[in-house]
Amino acid sequence: MELSTLEELIGYCFVDKDLLRTAMTHSSAVNEQKAASNQRLEFLGDAVLQLSISNHIYRLLQEENEGVLSKLRSLIVCSDSLYKASDNIRLSEFLILGKGEEISGGRKKKNILADAMEALIGAVYLDGGYKKADVFVQHLLDGIIKNALDGQLQYDYKTMLQEYVQSRNMGELSYELVKISGPEHAQVFTSRVCIDDRIFPGAKGQNRKQSEQNAAESVLRKWKVIE
């Protein structure tokens, strides 16, 4: 799929086309494409995204305290939100993947698409500056932001568990990465919840963040905090 089509879908035309190509290049394709991956752009895009959303809800919700603003931001700036937004611009069609990742279904993996979204934001920032990146973020996540403000999005499981544990003074909550298994292009991460000296069964995910979310969800279901 031509990257010019992606420019049309996102409503932004890059001056430096190489930035867009890099944003779409997954680490699995580096050797085959002889090109840089999108990991550095992902790092930058995450910071731009955090600032853009923080600034937006800070100005919009002038009566709310820091705790409420933090919760709203965590709802908006998460893998689930980025994954949903990626579908709106058909991002999966433009990913540049290695053969192994392509075969293993990389175009449908939440973490790959969410990371590519952050990389795309970083690329827009480098190409056009913060103002254009900010407009891009607001347009990209407009529906998600509105749903969050209307209370139609749920907190992520790690946030829910943290609040539950803190409200009951149950101890210090942490997550332990138990193991990483599988081939490099399709690794499986296993993490478990630890609360003081209590250790709970591990849960798997496509990356560390997802495995921690799944581990938190497991504990919440065990305690019947969620059904």
Side-chain angles (χ1 to χ4, degrees):
M1 185 70 72
E2 292 291 333
L3 292 178
S4 58
T5 303
L6 178 58
E7 289 180 303
E8 294 175 7
L9 290 169
I10 66 176
Y12 181 82
C13 183
F14 279 83
V15 175
D16 184 350
K17 306 297 183 183
D18 287 340
L19 278 172
L20 177 56
R21 183 173 182 80
T22 300
M24 293 299 100
T25 303
H26 184 254
S27 57
S28 64
V30 170
N31 292 331
E32 296 170 20
Q33 297 292 327
K34 292 182 173 56
S37 77
N38 62 9
Q39 291 177 325
R40 284 172 55 83
L41 284 175
E42 174 198 340
F43 164 79
L44 182 61
D46 175 63
V48 174
L49 175 61
Q50 293 274 354
L51 177 58
S52 176
I53 296 301
S54 296
N55 183 54
H56 183 69
I57 60 177
Y58 176 85
R59 295 179 181 280
L60 193 63
L61 305 175
Q62 298 185 14
E63 302 300 320
E64 298 293 357
N65 60 37
E66 180 268 345
V68 172
L69 296 179
S70 293
K71 289 178 181 178
L72 280 171
R73 184 179 61 191
S74 70
L75 284 174
I76 298 167
V77 183
C78 67
S79 295
D80 285 344
S81 295
L82 291 170
Y83 179 67
K84 291 176 183 175
S86 74
D87 192 50
N88 294 333
I89 58 174
R90 294 161 41 197
L91 193 70
S92 64
E93 299 176 23
F94 305 95
L95 292 175
I96 301 171
L97 303 172
K99 292 180 181 178
E101 192 61 68
E102 185 78 65
I103 292 172
S104 68
R107 292 188 186 279
K108 296 181 180 179
K109 291 181 180 178
K110 181 188 297 184
N111 61 307
I112 290 179
L113 286 163
D115 290 349
M117 287 293 290
E118 290 181 334
L120 184 57
I121 293 168
V124 172
Y125 168 74
L126 288 179
D127 192 71
Y130 176 73
K131 186 173 182 179
K132 289 187 177 180
D134 183 49
V135 170
F136 176 61
V137 168
Q138 300 305 319
H139 174 71
L140 196 67
L141 299 177
D142 180 61
I144 292 169
I145 293 171
K146 288 179 180 178
N147 286 339
L149 295 175
D150 291 341
Q152 295 180 22
L153 294 181
Q154 296 180 345
Y155 295 135
D156 62 73
Y157 294 120
K158 288 183 66 176
T159 299
M160 291 176 66
L161 183 59
Q162 181 70 39
E163 292 178 346
Y164 188 86
V165 169
Q166 287 182 342
S167 67
R168 289 162 177 76
N169 298 314
M170 298 173 69
E172 183 178 353
L173 169 65
S174 62
Y175 293 85
E176 179 183 359
L177 179 62
V178 179
K179 66 177 180 179
I180 303 175
S181 57
E184 185 174 351
H185 66 274
Q187 291 182 324
V188 176
F189 292 72
T190 302
S191 297
R192 62 187 180 187
V193 171
C194 303
I195 302 176
D196 280 351
D197 59 350
R198 299 178 64 186
I199 298 176
F200 296 83
K204 297 178 180 180
Q206 294 176 349
N207 55 47
R208 183 167 185 170
K209 290 181 180 180
Q210 186 177 16
S211 68
E212 290 178 352
Q213 284 284 347
N214 292 341
E217 179 184 5
S218 177
V219 174
L220 289 167
R221 293 190 185 283
K222 175 181 176 64
W223 289 345
K224 300 189 183 304
V225 178
I226 58 176
E227 296 297 325

